[in-house]
Amino acid sequence: MSLPTDTTLRLAMAAVVLLSVFTLIFVAYAFYLHLKGQRLERRRSRLEAAWKKRLLDAATGEATPAPDPDRPNAEEREVPPEDRVLFLELVTDYARALHGPERRNLEQVAAPYLDALDPLLDDAHPYRRAHGLDILSELSLEEARERIVRGLSDESGLVAMVAARALARNGDPEHVPLLLARLEAFENWSANYLASLLSSFGSAAVPYLRALAMDTSATGRFRCVALQALRELNDLESVESAVRLLPDENDAEVQSDLIRLIGRLGRPEHLDVIREHASSPVPHVRAASLRAVSELSDRRTSDVELVSRGLDDPSPWVALQSAHGLMKLGRAHELSALATSESPRADLAAEVLEAHR
């Protein structure tokens, strides 16, 4: 049974009114956030204008690094409690551009106000915790090291990554095992970024990275990260281990990174173990193999033929690596002939030739 027309009309009008009310509420809230943002920006600009010269003078040693209680009107130089986080953000911006004594001077400027970060560090929202930890690590890395290390265990991957970056800047190799133990927290971060982060610890991190890279029981993704870091660190001693592992490795991603490591740091006598993977069913393994062969080969005919066959590979990425490999093997004339042919790979050959000019 259908509702009377007037009842249906009332319900429709009520729905329209309700939607209008919700729309007004959202508009009002958006306007409130806009005003709040503007107010915050005005405070920040006012604070920057008031402190800019003093911060620059403090950085160069031309002013005292902190308010001097013995000077007249010294209380005017104190940063009000409600502005201290904004002030620390400003100091952080300057400190990031400085090194040596100038940076240390700014750290002294910030030291009396670092307690203002405590509410941020304990905030329920992970972004605020990360923001507070980022400022703390920039302005008080040594003194706050224990607090930063605790950040690695934060339930938020964002907070853990801020802590990891801070420890990497510090460069203490004792922190490498802590980072490796928490790699699961960085699952959503790129492998390239993680490898760069770990390699920033330098050669002292190599033993830990080797242990992870060669641990066949470890997660493949994290082994790849360790292998990439070893490649960035040019760890020659890891090559022999990689050569031993490659024939029995089943993870295609790990295979690729083992091959890249051997190709970058290995010797011609390691070619046999790489050639076997040039016919892998996985395109990126074939591509890595052709690139490694072209890097290590002494330009023997069999290797040229192997790399050249990659031009007919169904994968464009493999064909591209083949073309670059031929250039390394001194076969630019083959690519020139291909570029002027009717082959589907003619354009690719022309692009590679242009890139090597």
Side-chain angles (χ1 to χ4, degrees):
M1 186 176 69
S2 61
L3 291 172
T5 303
D6 57 342
T7 303
T8 304
L9 185 58
R10 284 196 211 94
L11 289 175
M13 291 179 62
V16 170
V17 170
L18 188 60
L19 288 174
S20 299
V21 170
F22 277 123
T23 300
L24 288 173
I25 291 173
F26 285 132
V27 169
Y29 184 63
F31 186 64
Y32 163 75
L33 291 178
H34 176 69
L35 291 178
K36 184 178 179 182
Q38 284 189 324
R39 188 165 58 251
L40 184 64
E41 188 57 36
R42 283 196 296 270
R43 282 176 58 199
R44 184 183 180 90
S45 298
R46 186 173 64 250
L47 183 63
E48 182 171 3
W51 278 88
K52 182 176 182 178
K53 184 178 185 306
R54 182 169 175 78
L55 287 177
L56 293 175
D57 288 346
T60 57
E62 296 179 11
T64 55
D68 184 354
D70 296 327
R71 294 183 61 176
N73 300 319
E75 66 280 358
E76 294 179 4
R77 294 181 177 272
E78 291 280 1
V79 179
E82 66 273 14
D83 286 334
R84 289 180 179 179
V85 172
L86 286 175
F87 173 71
L88 292 173
E89 290 175 353
L90 176 62
V91 178
T92 300
D93 290 343
Y94 282 90
R96 282 185 170 131
L98 298 173
H99 302 279
E102 291 83 6
R103 184 185 176 96
R104 288 193 291 274
N105 286 341
L106 286 185
E107 290 171 356
Q108 293 180 53
V109 171
Y113 308 115
L114 291 176
D115 288 349
L117 297 174
D118 290 345
L120 278 180
L121 295 171
D122 297 324
D123 197 281
H125 197 289
Y127 175 80
R128 295 190 183 93
R129 295 200 302 277
H131 183 51
L133 194 63
D134 184 44
I135 296 174
L136 184 66
S137 65
E138 284 287 347
L139 299 179
S140 185
L141 183 58
E142 289 297 328
E143 293 76 5
R145 186 184 303 195
E146 183 178 343
R147 179 66 183 80
I148 295 167
V149 169
R150 287 207 310 273
L152 284 176
S153 301
D154 194 281
E155 61 185 16
S156 164
L158 176 62
V159 178
M161 179 52 74
V162 169
R165 280 174 22 202
L167 295 176
R169 285 200 308 274
N170 177 262
D172 188 339
E174 291 184 3
H175 295 140
V176 176
L178 298 176
L179 288 179
L180 295 179
R182 287 287 292 154
L183 281 178
E184 291 83 358
F186 312 134
E187 186 67 36
N188 295 325
W189 296 80
S190 80
N192 290 337
Y193 181 82
L194 290 175
S196 178
L197 187 75
L198 290 167
S199 65
S200 67
F201 284 91
S203 59
V206 164
Y208 305 108
L209 295 171
R210 280 187 202 153
L212 175 58
M214 309 308 166
D215 182 2
T216 56
S217 65
T219 303
R221 168 176 161 78
F222 300 144
R223 292 179 65 198
C224 289
V225 167
L227 286 165
Q228 289 181 47
L230 289 170
R231 197 165 73 241
E232 291 182 22
L233 290 168
N234 295 315
D235 179 40
L236 296 174
E237 293 184 28
S238 64
V239 173
E240 294 301 330
S241 297
V243 170
R244 288 195 302 270
L245 283 175
L246 183 56
D248 298 319
E249 182 57 58
N250 296 318
D251 187 309
E253 301 297 333
V254 178
Q255 284 178 358
S256 296
D257 276 305
L258 286 169
I259 291 168
R260 292 186 188 104
L261 177 69
I262 299 168
R264 168 79 69 83
L265 305 174
R267 300 182 300 278
E269 56 261 37
H270 298 138
L271 277 166
D272 283 342
V273 72
I274 295 174
R275 292 189 188 107
E276 295 176 6
H277 289 79
S279 58
S280 167
V282 183
H284 59 266
V285 175
R286 297 198 301 274
S289 300
L290 293 182
R291 178 169 182 170
V293 167
S294 64
E295 287 174 340
L296 296 179
S297 178
D298 56 5
R299 300 190 177 188
R300 66 184 69 181
T301 304
S302 60
D303 287 334
V304 173
E305 293 173 349
L306 175 66
V307 174
S308 182
R309 285 198 296 272
L311 290 171
D312 297 321
D313 195 281
S315 166
W317 177 241
V318 177
L320 179 64
Q321 293 303 314
S322 172
H324 283 295
L326 287 174
M327 293 297 296
K328 290 179 184 176
L329 292 170
R331 296 302 179 114
H333 61 280
E334 291 188 23
L335 287 183
S336 297
L338 180 62
T340 57
S341 72
E342 299 297 324
S343 168
R345 299 298 192 198
D347 289 343
L348 182 146
E351 290 174 6
V352 171
L353 285 168
E354 183 65 29
H356 281 267
R357 282 181 182 171

